[in-house]
Amino acid sequence: QVQLVESGGGVVQPGRSLRLSCVASGFTFSSYAMHWVRQAPGKGLEWVAYISFDGTRKYYADSVRGRLTISRDDSKNTVHLQVTTLKHEDTAVYYCARDLGWEPPDYWGQGTLVTVSS
Amino acid sequence: QSVLSQPPSASGSPGQRVTISCSGSSSNVGSNTVSWYQQLPGTAPKLLIYNNDLRPSGVSARFSGSKSGASASLAISGLQSDDEADYYCAAWDDRLKMAFGGGTKLTVL
């Protein structure tokens, strides 16, 4: 069965950087595009990044452009999200999700919590 | 401010039918397919509807989706207590980003 397991979250000071990872299993990872979506405490879902199946296309939300970098390592079935210059408003649960083929995601991981606090 | 507009709340009694709307524009809902998600407290979103009106395997037939122009709707029939959750719509936007609705909190009275 499809599984997505995120890691890398924690408490981080403002201005620092963080790299989140998502390990996929149960499907041919190299054939699928992937997304990162975040959810601030008590708030709705906010899409932040997309990477195509071959890694050639990367899209970012306007609100985070320039501070986020999405990448993938097909040899490890892993997608990463690098977040730099962290701000308090980056505090959220970060989910990775599998693209359904230029449709919104189908499978989601359980999420990893990032708390930006001094 | 979410790109897609949803009512913040909806409610219904057990057994009733409720509808949740999702309003977008020609660059997202109007030109791309819509998905719907259910999110129970403390859990990840679960796909309920994709490609406007298709249900993934295992999703109850009580959930149905529709789309007309730049608006979409999720209908839940035979409302049950465990349908109480947050519901989100989503669609690609032609400006190369994914758009989500702000979410609708469904209360079963």
Side-chain angles (χ1 to χ4, degrees):
Chain A
Q1 71 281 19
V2 173
Q3 275 200 311
L4 300 168
V5 180
E6 302 94 335
S7 62
V11 180
V12 189
Q13 291 181 328
R16 304 294 290 264
S17 299
L18 195 66
R19 189 171 89 151
L20 306 178
S21 300
C22 170
V23 177
S25 61
F27 63 101
T28 304
F29 179 72
S30 59
S31 297
Y32 286 83
M34 298 294 294
H35 299 261
W36 284 96
V37 179
R38 70 183 182 182
Q39 186 171 35
K43 303 296 185 182
L45 301 171
E46 179 189 18
W47 172 83
V48 292
Y50 162 95
I51 186 167
S52 61
F53 73 97
D54 58 2
T56 60
R57 289 174 289 136
K58 300 177 184 180
Y59 307 139
Y60 300 96
D62 293 341
S63 61
V64 297
R65 195 180 305 276
R67 296 194 300 116
L68 265 61
T69 303
I70 189 171
S71 62
R72 64 188 298 151
D73 182 347
D74 290 351
S75 69
K76 297 181 179 178
N77 284 2
T78 301
V79 59
H80 300 288
L81 185 71
Q82 179 85 22
V83 188
T84 61
T85 319
L86 279 156
K87 306 176 182 181
H88 290 290
E89 52 264 40
D90 294 320
T91 294
V93 174
Y94 286 72
Y95 296 101
C96 74
R98 188 181 80 166
D99 188 73
L100 192 52
W102 202 249
E103 289 207 35
D106 54 358
Y107 287 95
W108 298 59
Q110 86 289 347
T112 186
L113 175 62
V114 173
T115 302
V116 183
S117 173
S118 51
Chain B
Q1 197 81 354
S2 300
V3 176
L4 307 182
S5 296
Q6 297 181 234
S9 63
S11 63
S13 300
Q16 283 189 331
R17 182 178 187 270
V18 297
T19 301
I20 297 171
S21 62
C22 173
S23 177
S25 68
S26 58
S27 67
N28 40 64
V29 176
S31 56
N32 295 290
T33 61
V34 176
S35 295
W36 288 91
Y37 302 93
Q38 178 193 59
Q39 187 177 35
L40 299 169
T43 69
K46 171 190 171 184
L47 182 66
L48 288 179
I49 298 289
Y50 68 100
N51 201 359
N52 303 324
D53 58 8
L54 300 180
R55 280 187 311 275
S57 174
V59 172
S60 172
R62 298 187 300 107
F63 295 93
S64 62
S66 64
K67 191 183 94 166
S68 178
S71 294
S73 293
L74 172 72
I76 310 172
S77 60
L79 203 59
Q80 300 175 357
S81 58
D82 55 5
D83 294 331
E84 195 159 282
D86 294 326
Y87 292 85
Y88 295 90
C89 60
W92 268 108
D93 190 292
D94 290 343
R95 292 166 287 187
L96 301 180
K97 61 182 180 179
M98 179 74 64
F100 280 96
T104 299
K105 184 176 184 61
L106 175 64
T107 300
V108 180
L109 303 171

